[in-house]
mmCIF file with all atom_site columns, all heavy atoms in Angstrom:
data_model
loop_
_atom_site.group_PDB
_atom_site.id
_atom_site.type_symbol
_atom_site.label_atom_id
_atom_site.label_alt_id
_atom_site.label_comp_id
_atom_site.label_asym_id
_atom_site.label_entity_id
_atom_site.label_seq_id
_atom_site.pdbx_PDB_ins_code
_atom_site.Cartn_x
_atom_site.Cartn_y
_atom_site.Cartn_z
_atom_site.occupancy
_atom_site.B_iso_or_equiv
_atom_site.pdbx_formal_charge
_atom_site.auth_seq_id
_atom_site.auth_comp_id
_atom_site.auth_asym_id
_atom_site.auth_atom_id
_atom_site.pdbx_PDB_model_num
ATOM 1  N N   . THR D 1 76 ? 111.331 64.213 89.357  1.00 96.00 ? 76 THR D N   1
ATOM 2  C CA  . THR D 1 76 ? 110.266 65.001 89.937  1.00 96.00 ? 76 THR D CA  1
ATOM 3  C C   . THR D 1 76 ? 110.416 65.298 91.434  1.00 96.00 ? 76 THR D C   1
ATOM 4  O O   . THR D 1 76 ? 109.812 66.247 91.949  1.00 96.00 ? 76 THR D O   1
ATOM 5  C CB  . THR D 1 76 ? 108.913 64.317 89.683  1.00 96.00 ? 76 THR D CB  1
ATOM 6  O OG1 . THR D 1 76 ? 108.839 63.087 90.436  1.00 96.00 ? 76 THR D OG1 1
ATOM 7  C CG2 . THR D 1 76 ? 108.666 64.086 88.243  1.00 96.00 ? 76 THR D CG2 1
ATOM 8  N N   . LYS D 1 77 ? 111.076 64.446 92.140  1.00 96.00 ? 77 LYS D N   1
ATOM 9  C CA  . LYS D 1 77 ? 111.235 64.490 93.610  1.00 96.00 ? 77 LYS D CA  1
ATOM 10 C C   . LYS D 1 77 ? 109.852 64.514 94.291  1.00 96.00 ? 77 LYS D C   1
ATOM 11 O O   . LYS D 1 77 ? 109.716 65.023 95.371  1.00 96.00 ? 77 LYS D O   1
ATOM 12 C CB  . LYS D 1 77 ? 111.992 65.739 94.009  1.00 96.00 ? 77 LYS D CB  1
ATOM 13 C CG  . LYS D 1 77 ? 113.329 65.881 93.304  1.00 96.00 ? 77 LYS D CG  1
ATOM 14 C CD  . LYS D 1 77 ? 114.479 65.894 94.268  1.00 96.00 ? 77 LYS D CD  1
ATOM 15 C CE  . LYS D 1 77 ? 115.840 66.122 93.631  1.00 96.00 ? 77 LYS D CE  1
ATOM 16 N NZ  . LYS D 1 77 ? 116.177 65.488 92.455  1.00 96.00 ? 77 LYS D NZ  1
ATOM 17 N N   . LYS D 1 78 ? 108.904 63.870 93.706  1.00 94.00 ? 78 LYS D N   1
ATOM 18 C CA  . LYS D 1 78 ? 107.525 63.748 94.274  1.00 94.00 ? 78 LYS D CA  1
ATOM 19 C C   . LYS D 1 78 ? 107.435 62.555 95.200  1.00 94.00 ? 78 LYS D C   1
ATOM 20 O O   . LYS D 1 78 ? 108.219 61.531 95.048  1.00 94.00 ? 78 LYS D O   1
ATOM 21 C CB  . LYS D 1 78 ? 106.448 63.628 93.212  1.00 94.00 ? 78 LYS D CB  1
ATOM 22 C CG  . LYS D 1 78 ? 106.271 64.970 92.415  1.00 94.00 ? 78 LYS D CG  1
ATOM 23 C CD  . LYS D 1 78 ? 105.132 64.927 91.484  1.00 94.00 ? 78 LYS D CD  1
ATOM 24 C CE  . LYS D 1 78 ? 104.952 66.234 90.761  1.00 94.00 ? 78 LYS D CE  1
ATOM 25 N NZ  . LYS D 1 78 ? 103.836 66.173 89.819  1.00 94.00 ? 78 LYS D NZ  1
ATOM 26 N N   . PRO D 1 79 ? 106.611 62.540 96.249  1.00 94.00 ? 79 PRO D N   1
ATOM 27 C CA  . PRO D 1 79 ? 106.609 61.471 97.225  1.00 94.00 ? 79 PRO D CA  1
ATOM 28 C C   . PRO D 1 79 ? 106.244 60.100 96.711  1.00 94.00 ? 79 PRO D C   1
ATOM 29 O O   . PRO D 1 79 ? 106.811 59.153 97.151  1.00 94.00 ? 79 PRO D O   1
ATOM 30 C CB  . PRO D 1 79 ? 105.623 61.915 98.303  1.00 94.00 ? 79 PRO D CB  1
ATOM 31 C CG  . PRO D 1 79 ? 105.046 63.185 97.814  1.00 94.00 ? 79 PRO D CG  1
ATOM 32 C CD  . PRO D 1 79 ? 105.736 63.689 96.588  1.00 94.00 ? 79 PRO D CD  1
ATOM 33 N N   . VAL D 1 80 ? 105.258 60.015 95.821  1.00 91.00 ? 80 VAL D N   1
ATOM 34 C CA  . VAL D 1 80 ? 104.796 58.707 95.328  1.00 91.00 ? 80 VAL D CA  1
ATOM 35 C C   . VAL D 1 80 ? 105.885 57.960 94.551  1.00 91.00 ? 80 VAL D C   1
ATOM 36 O O   . VAL D 1 80 ? 106.216 56.854 94.857  1.00 91.00 ? 80 VAL D O   1
ATOM 37 C CB  . VAL D 1 80 ? 103.484 58.847 94.617  1.00 91.00 ? 80 VAL D CB  1
ATOM 38 C CG1 . VAL D 1 80 ? 103.150 57.440 93.941  1.00 91.00 ? 80 VAL D CG1 1
ATOM 39 C CG2 . VAL D 1 80 ? 102.359 59.254 95.498  1.00 91.00 ? 80 VAL D CG2 1
ATOM 40 N N   . PRO D 1 81 ? 106.493 58.633 93.555  1.00 93.00 ? 81 PRO D N   1
ATOM 41 C CA  . PRO D 1 81 ? 107.592 57.939 92.874  1.00 93.00 ? 81 PRO D CA  1
ATOM 42 C C   . PRO D 1 81 ? 108.790 57.603 93.820  1.00 93.00 ? 81 PRO D C   1
ATOM 43 O O   . PRO D 1 81 ? 109.352 56.515 93.709  1.00 93.00 ? 81 PRO D O   1
ATOM 44 C CB  . PRO D 1 81 ? 108.051 58.889 91.828  1.00 93.00 ? 81 PRO D CB  1
ATOM 45 C CG  . PRO D 1 81 ? 106.871 59.781 91.608  1.00 93.00 ? 81 PRO D CG  1
ATOM 46 C CD  . PRO D 1 81 ? 106.202 59.872 92.888  1.00 93.00 ? 81 PRO D CD  1
ATOM 47 N N   . ILE D 1 82 ? 109.081 58.485 94.809  1.00 96.00 ? 82 ILE D N   1
ATOM 48 C CA  . ILE D 1 82 ? 110.156 58.157 95.704  1.00 96.00 ? 82 ILE D CA  1
ATOM 49 C C   . ILE D 1 82 ? 109.784 56.918 96.561  1.00 96.00 ? 82 ILE D C   1
ATOM 50 O O   . ILE D 1 82 ? 110.578 56.054 96.721  1.00 96.00 ? 82 ILE D O   1
ATOM 51 C CB  . ILE D 1 82 ? 110.471 59.375 96.628  1.00 96.00 ? 82 ILE D CB  1
ATOM 52 C CG1 . ILE D 1 82 ? 111.110 60.503 95.804  1.00 96.00 ? 82 ILE D CG1 1
ATOM 53 C CG2 . ILE D 1 82 ? 111.346 58.978 97.782  1.00 96.00 ? 82 ILE D CG2 1
ATOM 54 C CD1 . ILE D 1 82 ? 111.236 61.814 96.474  1.00 96.00 ? 82 ILE D CD1 1
ATOM 55 N N   . ALA D 1 83 ? 108.567 56.908 97.067  1.00 95.00 ? 83 ALA D N   1
ATOM 56 C CA  . ALA D 1 83 ? 108.117 55.744 97.883  1.00 95.00 ? 83 ALA D CA  1
ATOM 57 C C   . ALA D 1 83 ? 108.139 54.469 97.089  1.00 95.00 ? 83 ALA D C   1
ATOM 58 O O   . ALA D 1 83 ? 108.633 53.421 97.527  1.00 95.00 ? 83 ALA D O   1
ATOM 59 C CB  . ALA D 1 83 ? 106.720 56.046 98.418  1.00 95.00 ? 83 ALA D CB  1
ATOM 60 N N   . LEU D 1 84 ? 107.650 54.515 95.852  1.00 94.00 ? 84 LEU D N   1
ATOM 61 C CA  . LEU D 1 84 ? 107.652 53.323 95.008  1.00 94.00 ? 84 LEU D CA  1
ATOM 62 C C   . LEU D 1 84 ? 109.084 52.903 94.633  1.00 94.00 ? 84 LEU D C   1
ATOM 63 O O   . LEU D 1 84 ? 109.337 51.666 94.520  1.00 94.00 ? 84 LEU D O   1
ATOM 64 C CB  . LEU D 1 84 ? 106.812 53.529 93.770  1.00 94.00 ? 84 LEU D CB  1
ATOM 65 C CG  . LEU D 1 84 ? 105.304 53.551 94.017  1.00 94.00 ? 84 LEU D CG  1
ATOM 66 C CD1 . LEU D 1 84 ? 104.580 53.948 92.775  1.00 94.00 ? 84 LEU D CD1 1
ATOM 67 C CD2 . LEU D 1 84 ? 104.812 52.207 94.553  1.00 94.00 ? 84 LEU D CD2 1
ATOM 68 N N   . SER D 1 85 ? 109.997 53.830 94.473  1.00 96.00 ? 85 SER D N   1
ATOM 69 C CA  . SER D 1 85 ? 111.376 53.492 94.206  1.00 96.00 ? 85 SER D CA  1
ATOM 70 C C   . SER D 1 85 ? 112.025 52.764 95.381  1.00 96.00 ? 85 SER D C   1
ATOM 71 O O   . SER D 1 85 ? 112.707 51.790 95.248  1.00 96.00 ? 85 SER D O   1
ATOM 72 C CB  . SER D 1 85 ? 112.173 54.782 93.933  1.00 96.00 ? 85 SER D CB  1
ATOM 73 O OG  . SER D 1 85 ? 111.697 55.377 92.786  1.00 96.00 ? 85 SER D OG  1
ATOM 74 N N   . VAL D 1 86 ? 111.774 53.269 96.574  1.00 97.00 ? 86 VAL D N   1
ATOM 75 C CA  . VAL D 1 86 ? 112.342 52.657 97.808  1.00 97.00 ? 86 VAL D CA  1
ATOM 76 C C   . VAL D 1 86 ? 111.747 51.242 97.992  1.00 97.00 ? 86 VAL D C   1
ATOM 77 O O   . VAL D 1 86 ? 112.427 50.268 98.297  1.00 97.00 ? 86 VAL D O   1
ATOM 78 C CB  . VAL D 1 86 ? 112.066 53.542 99.023  1.00 97.00 ? 86 VAL D CB  1
ATOM 79 C CG1 . VAL D 1 86 ? 112.414 52.803 100.347 1.00 97.00 ? 86 VAL D CG1 1
ATOM 80 C CG2 . VAL D 1 86 ? 112.884 54.840 98.945  1.00 97.00 ? 86 VAL D CG2 1
#
Side-chain angles (χ1 to χ4, degrees):
T76 66
K77 308 240 184 315
K78 291 186 177 178
V80 172
I82 291 171
L84 288 173
S85 298
V86 171

